[in-house]
Amino acid sequence: MNAPADLLVTNLGELVTCEPALGEGPLGVIKNGALAVAEGRVVWVGPASRLHREVVTCAEAREIDGGGRVGLPGFVDSHTHLIFAGSREHEYALRARGASYQEIAAAGGGILSTVKATRAASVDELVALARPRVRTLLEHGTTTTEVKSGYGLTTADELKMLAAAKRLGETQPVEVHANFCGAHEIPPEYTGRTDAYVDLVVDEMLPAVAERRLARYVDVFCEDGVFSVAQARRVLEAGARWGLRAKFHADEFVTLGGAELAAEVRALSADHLLRARPEGVARMKAVGVTATLLPGTAFFLGLPYAPARAFLETGARVALASDFNPGSSMGPNLQLVMTMAVSQMKMSPEEALLGVTLHGAHAMGLEEEIGSLRPGKRCDLLLADVPNWRYLSYYYGVNHVSRVIKRGRLVYER
Ligand code: NIG
Ligand code: FE
């Protein structure tokens, strides 16, 4: 027997549960829906007409009138680099004149320019810079986000970034889970000595991060000119020994075999995959690794998109995330990411919405807690001012989210 409901959300033109068993179609849509919540968790979903017959409420229960809006699960952004200092709008202009992301990096710009600024910032400063970004995420419907380190590249600076992530998670409504990405780039002190830097990551940074419980995941930029497959394997296997699940940058610019590595190490997700082989993604599918696509990055860098259809044909689970970062994707809006997925990668609107909800939750290993609205899960709920859920990606470039409920609490209202 459930606890009596302490929150009812009624009068939803559509309630998109993202659980096919609970409604119509692959998204489990309930027309004229309602939802009941107890102690921050969903206890009931169904047609509004049955709510009062089927749900016991406590005396002080609150009611939110959905006003005919569409209700849907809070978005899960499973790949971001939203903690950083400095900014790189000049690189964006250089790219418009023909420079590539890699050329800019080789000339001392790119990740290393953000490293310089981030090393110079304190925890307080990093938190103050990131706070309005997270607020923007929340306003656009993201209720859970992954945040990476990787702009410190010394033990102290990586710990500093992760301390900032922890504080961010504790001081505003968006749930934050940290990914240790010490192997994001080779710092200037280690130029030409990548293996020695990997030693530092494995022998010093990882234990320091894990002992302080500052991260849930481990990442590595497995890329030509950065970390090879063998070096990435070392980092990810060492992370696993410390209990960190692998979630990493794979086959972004060059086909290196990152997808295959993700399958081999049983990663939670392999991300980017612009250049991944569908056969590699098929191997990921065989062992349950989520393929996380970041179309905002291809859009912002002007690159061809990941072959999402080929990946979907393998049966792999495809998540979508923002990759929000100052260099390759300065955009936090997952509604726009869905539009890119549909118009550029030919994903269906259903696949796109699952990509930023349930499949994003899988990419973070949180699928039992969030990502859909089924009884037992946390009530992370968005109300959107749209005539039906398809408008979320169809009517693009605007923010449709007007209310956000996190763990059963109204945390944003426009
Ligand atoms: O996901 N690929 C590596 N990391 C980021 C870019 C970070 C940056 O440019 O600052 C990415 O694209
Ligand atoms: Fe990234």
Side-chain angles (χ1 to χ4, degrees):
M1 191 57 202
N2 288 317
D6 50 39
L7 171 68
L8 302 176
V9 184
T10 59
N11 195 16
L12 296 167
E14 289 176 343
L15 175 58
V16 182
T17 64
C18 291
E19 291 284 346
L22 297 178
E24 283 167 36
L27 296 178
V29 178
I30 302 170
K31 288 256 160 60
N32 302 317
L35 172 141
V37 184
E39 292 161 1
R41 290 192 182 263
V42 177
V43 290
W44 182 92
V45 295
S49 57
R50 295 199 337 232
L51 174 69
H52 290 289
R53 230 181 315 136
E54 296 185 11
V55 175
V56 180
T57 51
C58 63
E60 354 31 290
R62 285 196 57 197
E63 188 164 326
I64 295 178
D65 181 346
R69 294 181 181 87
V70 170
L72 66 151
F75 298 142
V76 180
D77 196 344
S78 63
H79 184 134
T80 85
H81 309 247
L82 64 80
I83 294 180
F84 59 87
S87 73
R88 292 173 21 212
E89 61 275 24
H90 48 285
E91 291 179 14
Y92 168 62
L94 285 175
R95 272 197 304 278
R97 302 213 309 257
S100 73
Y101 181 81
Q102 293 96 318
E103 282 161 4
I104 290 167
I111 293 174
L112 289 179
S113 80
T114 301
V115 169
K116 205 168 171 189
T118 303
R119 284 181 174 179
S122 66
V123 176
D124 288 349
E125 285 164 338
L126 291 177
V127 172
L129 288 166
R131 197 179 290 288
R133 297 177 197 139
V134 179
R135 179 72 191 174
T136 305
L137 256 68
L138 177 71
E139 291 172 0
H140 287 80
T142 297
T143 48
T144 300
T145 188
E146 182 252 31
V147 175
K148 298 174 195 300
S149 68
Y151 293 127
L153 312 186
T154 66
T155 304
D157 289 306
E158 288 294 304
L159 291 173
K160 177 179 77 182
M161 284 193 74
L162 293 169
K166 179 161 189 259
R167 189 161 342 138
L168 257 188
E170 290 166 350
T171 53
Q172 53 73 51
V174 177
E175 181 176 335
V176 174
H177 295 282
N179 191 346
F180 166 61
C181 189
H184 194 200
E185 185 46 284
I186 298 116
E189 317 82 81
Y190 281 85
T191 305
R193 297 188 296 134
T194 305
D195 279 319
Y197 183 64
V198 173
D199 291 341
L200 179 73
V201 169
V202 166
D203 298 335
E204 188 176 302
M205 291 188 190
L206 260 172
V209 168
E211 277 160 9
R212 291 168 180 76
R213 297 182 181 284
L214 282 172
R216 186 179 183 115
Y217 317 108
V218 58
D219 198 340
V220 55
F221 190 10
C222 179
E223 185 65 41
D224 197 25
V226 195
F227 299 97
S228 68
V229 169
Q231 289 161 339
R233 182 184 292 114
R234 265 191 77 198
V235 171
L236 300 176
E237 286 178 346
R241 288 196 290 278
W242 286 102
L244 305 185
R245 298 291 310 268
K247 237 179 114 42
F248 72 103
H249 290 73
D251 297 323
E252 181 175 358
F253 298 114
V254 175
T255 310
L256 277 194
E260 289 82 351
L261 176 64
E264 179 192 322
V265 303
R266 304 281 199 273
L268 260 180
S269 73
D271 300 18
H272 283 288
L273 305 171
L274 294 182
R275 299 283 173 185
R277 286 181 281 255
E279 309 82 70
V281 174
R283 284 202 216 168
M284 285 167 47
K285 138 81 189 152
V287 292
V289 182
T290 299
T292 300
L293 306 185
L294 311 162
T297 310
F299 171 76
F300 199 67
L301 296 180
L303 295 174
Y305 291 81
R309 287 262 53 99
F311 297 165
L312 284 161
E313 271 158 33
T314 70
R317 188 188 305 114
V318 173
L320 294 166
S322 70
D323 196 23
F324 186 20
N325 78 76
S328 69
S329 183
M330 188 68 177
N333 180 354
L334 289 177
Q335 296 163 66
L336 184 55
V337 166
M338 279 193 273
T339 301
M340 294 175 198
V342 176
S343 72
Q344 305 302 303
M345 302 198 299
K346 312 301 175 202
M347 289 175 67
S348 70
E350 288 86 350
E351 288 164 343
L353 188 54
L354 284 171
V356 298
T357 55
L358 187 57
H359 294 177
H362 274 280
M364 297 182 71
L366 296 172
E367 68 276 10
E368 294 301 326
E369 286 290 320
I370 56 172
S372 70
L373 295 166
R374 97 175 169 223
K377 285 201 183 182
R378 279 181 230 158
C379 179
D380 292 358
L381 173 75
L382 312 178
L383 299 190
D385 283 337
V386 284
N388 62 67
W389 69 266
R390 285 173 196 275
Y391 264 70
L392 287 165
S393 59
Y394 163 63
Y395 183 11
Y396 76 91
V398 288
N399 183 13
H400 298 295
V401 172
S402 63
R403 293 189 196 189
V404 180
I405 292 162
K406 176 69 186 168
R407 297 180 195 253
R409 271 185 47 232
L410 183 65
V411 291
Y412 170 70
E413 184 165 18
R414 183 164 64 195

